[in-house]
Amino acid sequence: MTASDDPPLTGPRLDHGPANDADGTRVVRAGLPAEEPYEPPLPGPVFAAHYHLPGEVEGAPYAYGRDANPTWSRLERALAELEAPGDPDAEVIAFSSGMGAISAVLLSQVRPGQTVVLPSDGYNLLAALRERLEGFGVRVRTAPTSGGAQRAELDGASLLWLETPSNPGLDVCDIRELADAAHERGALVAVDNTLATPLGQRPLLLGADISVASGTKALTGHGDVLLGYVATRNAQVAAAARAWRKTVGAIPGPMEAWLAHRSLATLDVRTQRQAGNALAVAEALAARPEVRDVRHPGLPDDPAHPLAARQMSRYGCVVSFTLPDQAYANRFLARLRLVSDATSFGGVRSTAERRGRWGGDAVPDGFVRMSVGVEDSADLVTDIRRALDEAAG
Ligand SMILES: Cc1ncc(COP(=O)(O)O)c(C=O)c1O
């Protein structure tokens, strides 16, 4: 039997093209250039402050390093494929950090005299941005993430900012419903998609105008890169964010952009494993009498679960819970072997921290935010149970 007589290993492909690929397939090729003989699949980072620029600037894709870079372009293409698969109008602008991206949207979209609605329980640096916006004459209203409370604040607003799930409380809001309500009143809607990643939630497909994220967390996932991005199908928003990046210079380094792109290939396997581990950890914590208020959107009896199940396809790696007091929480954290006491979240190595040590979040003294990594799930649960036993004294 010749090779051509061999039966095919798989059946015929019924759908063709990247828009129909599953996420696990999409991530490994997202943003890669067309294959060229003897070239690498993902070209290395381009380190350039300027590019050869013959003649006039008009139409030049790369002229100066603060404006554009081929390594960013490939990453941005990849992220657009993940945030809005198959949509040629989706654009992504990469930034040096999540705060760079968040600031770019808020400060380029809102003018003095306009009103913006922010979450009262979102990432704690939003409070600093609030102060800055108010200093510029912008009116800021706030509402908690759960219970659809933002709806009541929308009259006269020009931008609604959502963070779902929220950090660190892990509440969830209905993106579709709030986006419809905001659009009826002429307001733009932005969603901080950091915790979910585009494989866990696609705000642009749920009606939001803008998806913003810190790529520092699960997106890059190794705790070694700071990055952010803005994704949108609104050409005016994209142009404004790009112009803002150029003006303030909040640009990603080529090495960071390349590391981020390289990390996308494992985003599906990392986030699936982390979500499974997080659920196992949340269930183990919920079974302990000394642990209160265990929150994880994937826990079947979590108050956010019904809504999360409608708009998220995986529930993220963060679990939050409360121990009896500050000293108890510190004893627990000190006794963990597989979970490092560190801030941030989304990395392959598990971390946890007593969130109250920063100030700024309205959480009890014993509140712990844990980021669950890709370790073996049974090992993690054993370590956490042992640390709880030892913390109890
Ligand atoms: C939900 C959320 N958004 C934005 C940020 C800011 O991201 P970065 O630290 O990359 O500036 C963070 C950081 O923790 C975050 O948790």
Side-chain angles (χ1 to χ4, degrees):
M1 189 158 130
T2 62
S4 59
D5 296 328
D6 288 346
L9 293 176
T10 56
R13 288 284 305 269
L14 296 180
D15 9 81
H16 299 275
N20 297 310
D21 284 341
D23 284 338
T25 306
R26 181 174 292 114
V27 288
V28 299
R29 292 183 190 277
L32 297 188
E35 289 180 14
E36 291 280 347
Y38 321 120
E39 292 293 327
L42 175 62
V46 173
F47 297 104
H50 60 84
Y51 305 83
H52 295 300
L53 182 63
E56 298 309 312
V57 176
E58 192 69 36
Y62 302 106
Y64 186 58
R66 186 170 12 80
D67 306 347
N69 173 299
T71 310
W72 308 347
S73 304
R74 284 188 280 270
L75 172 67
E76 290 171 342
R77 218 162 29 238
L79 292 171
E81 287 174 31
L82 302 190
E83 286 279 350
D87 186 340
D89 294 333
E91 289 186 68
V92 165
I93 303 97
F95 285 84
S96 49
S97 68
M99 283 313 293
I102 291 172
S103 307
V105 172
L106 282 167
L107 298 172
S108 71
Q109 287 304 314
V110 188
R111 306 260 169 280
Q114 291 186 326
T115 298
V116 52
V117 181
L118 297 179
S120 54
D121 51 357
Y123 176 53
N124 63 25
L125 259 185
L126 280 180
L129 258 181
R130 175 190 184 157
E131 262 179 48
R132 180 103 18 212
L133 286 166
E134 287 176 336
F136 293 151
V138 174
R139 281 192 283 268
V140 179
R141 300 179 193 146
T142 62
T145 297
S146 71
Q150 296 98 329
R151 214 173 207 292
E153 305 298 332
L154 288 176
D155 281 343
S158 56
L159 177 68
L160 169 65
W161 191 272
L162 305 175
E163 184 180 306
T164 180
S166 59
N167 169 28
L170 301 178
D171 275 319
V172 168
C173 60
D174 191 326
I175 297 174
R176 166 79 60 198
E177 190 199 271
L178 288 164
D180 287 349
H183 289 154
E184 273 168 27
R185 293 160 176 84
L188 283 173
V189 179
V191 177
D192 185 326
N193 203 31
T194 300
L195 203 143
T197 85
L199 297 200
Q201 176 171 272
R202 294 208 159 101
L204 299 184
L205 306 195
L206 292 165
D209 304 287
I210 307 159
S211 178
V212 183
S214 166
T216 311
K217 319 289 175 190
L219 187 87
T220 56
H222 292 73
D224 51 13
V225 166
L226 278 115
L227 196 94
Y229 69 88
V230 173
T232 184
R233 294 191 283 218
N234 180 319
Q236 177 273 329
V237 169
R242 195 168 285 112
W244 184 268
R245 177 178 70 180
K246 173 174 172 162
T247 308
V248 302
I251 56 170
M255 191 68 194
E256 280 77 3
W258 183 83
L259 281 168
H261 199 164
R262 193 182 80 145
S263 301
L264 290 184
T266 56
L267 183 63
D268 182 62
V269 287
R270 281 188 284 109
T271 52
Q272 277 208 42
R273 168 89 164 207
Q274 286 176 277
N277 281 357
L279 184 57
V281 164
E283 281 168 345
L285 287 165
R288 300 284 297 215
E290 73 274 42
V291 182
R292 282 183 297 115
D293 298 329
V294 179
R295 296 296 310 270
H296 176 66
L299 265 183
D301 56 357
D302 188 284
H305 182 68
L307 183 48
R310 287 210 302 277
Q311 70 182 15
M312 299 180 76
S313 49
R314 57 191 77 168
Y315 301 112
C317 62
V318 182
V319 179
S320 64
F321 53 97
T322 302
L323 292 172
D325 56 41
Q326 175 172 340
Y328 206 114
N330 282 334
R331 282 199 304 279
F332 166 68
L333 292 167
R335 279 163 179 79
L336 288 163
R337 185 176 68 87
L338 299 178
V339 183
S340 313
D341 190 348
T343 194
S344 200
F345 59 84
V348 289
R349 294 170 208 89
S350 294
T351 58
E353 69 171 337
R354 197 182 66 78
R355 197 57 194 165
R357 67 181 172 177
W358 294 95
D361 292 311
V363 292
D365 285 341
F367 181 97
V368 174
R369 186 187 70 189
M370 184 175 283
S371 171
V372 184
V374 298
E375 300 89 346
D376 180 83
S377 160
D379 285 347
L380 275 177
V381 167
T382 303
D383 192 45
I384 289 165
R385 285 193 181 127
R386 186 194 42 74
L388 282 172
D389 289 342
E390 291 180 17

